Amino acid sequence: FRFCRIEIGQKKPFEGGWNVPGSAHNYSIDDPKFLSWIASNQNYGVIAGIGGLIVFDADGLLRLTELGLMAELPETFTVRTGGGGLHLYYTSDLDEKIVMYDRTLLEAGKPQHLGEVQARGFQAVGPGSIHPNGNRYVVVKNLPIANISAKDLHGIISRYVDYSIAEAPKEKAAVANSSVRKV
């Protein structure tokens, strides 16, 4: 897996090319520059789409739980976000970001946003980092990262919520699909 640097209290990487395999601006877990960054209590991102990693980002955790979707997901390494949701880490053949919406609840006249599945070209803020609201991202289930196929994930999601596929912006499109196994 690969990681990117984010300034404390922020959610977006600041270095260009952070999501491109082989870039000088994404780091292995033992890279001295990355370790120094983490040691200085800065934020960091976990890059999705490299090494087959995806992150189920449950922003609307209460609603996703109420609908029954969360109960169907395999147990895996899980982080409570600074915003109160969950990040569930999986390996998968999923190659595109999924954006989830409520089928019945509206927010400003549009279907309520419930979260995303971060994949190729995207990242999730890592545990130990600080959310813009001051809350820390905390590991709540220190389990091995489970595997889920794109087919199974689409099947689970489609039973409970509506969703769309979000293409990576052009600058993010260079990230290879989940077949890249760079460690």
Side-chain angles (χ1 to χ4, degrees):
F1 303 135
R2 304 293 284 183
F3 306 87
C4 56
R5 300 187 316 160
I6 301 173
E7 293 177 343
I8 193 162
Q10 301 297 310
K11 295 174 73 173
K12 293 183 180 180
F14 62 87
E15 296 176 296
W18 61 267
N19 58 351
V20 178
S23 166
H25 297 139
N26 66 53
Y27 306 91
S28 65
I29 193 69
D30 59 354
D31 183 289
K33 186 174 181 179
F34 181 67
L35 290 173
S36 175
W37 183 258
I38 298 302
S40 68
N41 292 315
Q42 294 290 331
N43 284 4
Y44 68 98
V46 181
I47 302 172
I50 299 178
L53 186 70
I54 64 168
V55 181
F56 188 100
D57 185 354
D59 294 325
L61 178 61
L62 293 176
R63 181 66 174 150
L64 290 168
T65 301
E66 177 183 294
L67 291 169
L69 190 152
M70 297 305 291
E72 285 207 44
L73 294 171
E75 292 283 313
T76 192
F77 182 80
T78 304
V79 174
R80 168 111 21 229
T81 71
L86 291 178
H87 285 169
L88 289 80
Y89 288 73
Y90 295 100
T91 56
S92 180
D93 58 339
L94 182 74
D95 189 35
E96 69 273 337
K97 178 177 179 171
I98 295 172
V99 182
M100 298 175 287
Y101 302 97
D102 199 291
R103 289 184 175 144
T104 58
L105 298 180
L106 299 178
E107 193 172 76
K110 297 179 182 178
Q112 183 180 24
H113 175 260
L114 298 174
E116 308 87 19
V117 180
Q118 306 294 355
R120 176 182 44 88
F122 297 91
Q123 58 87 28
V125 177
S129 296
I130 303 207
H131 189 274
N133 67 15
N135 294 335
R136 194 169 291 277
Y137 290 71
V138 179
V139 175
V140 293
K141 290 184 183 176
N142 193 6
L143 301 171
I145 296 174
N147 183 271
I148 188 167
S149 72
K151 179 182 177 186
D152 289 346
L153 186 57
H154 280 287
I156 292 168
I157 292 171
S158 67
R159 282 194 290 277
Y160 299 98
V161 300
D162 290 335
Y163 67 95
S164 63
I165 305 302
E167 287 297 317
K170 288 183 181 181
E171 66 274 10
K172 296 182 179 186
V175 173
N177 66 26
S178 61
S179 64
V180 174
R181 301 286 178 200
K182 189 165 188 173
V183 177

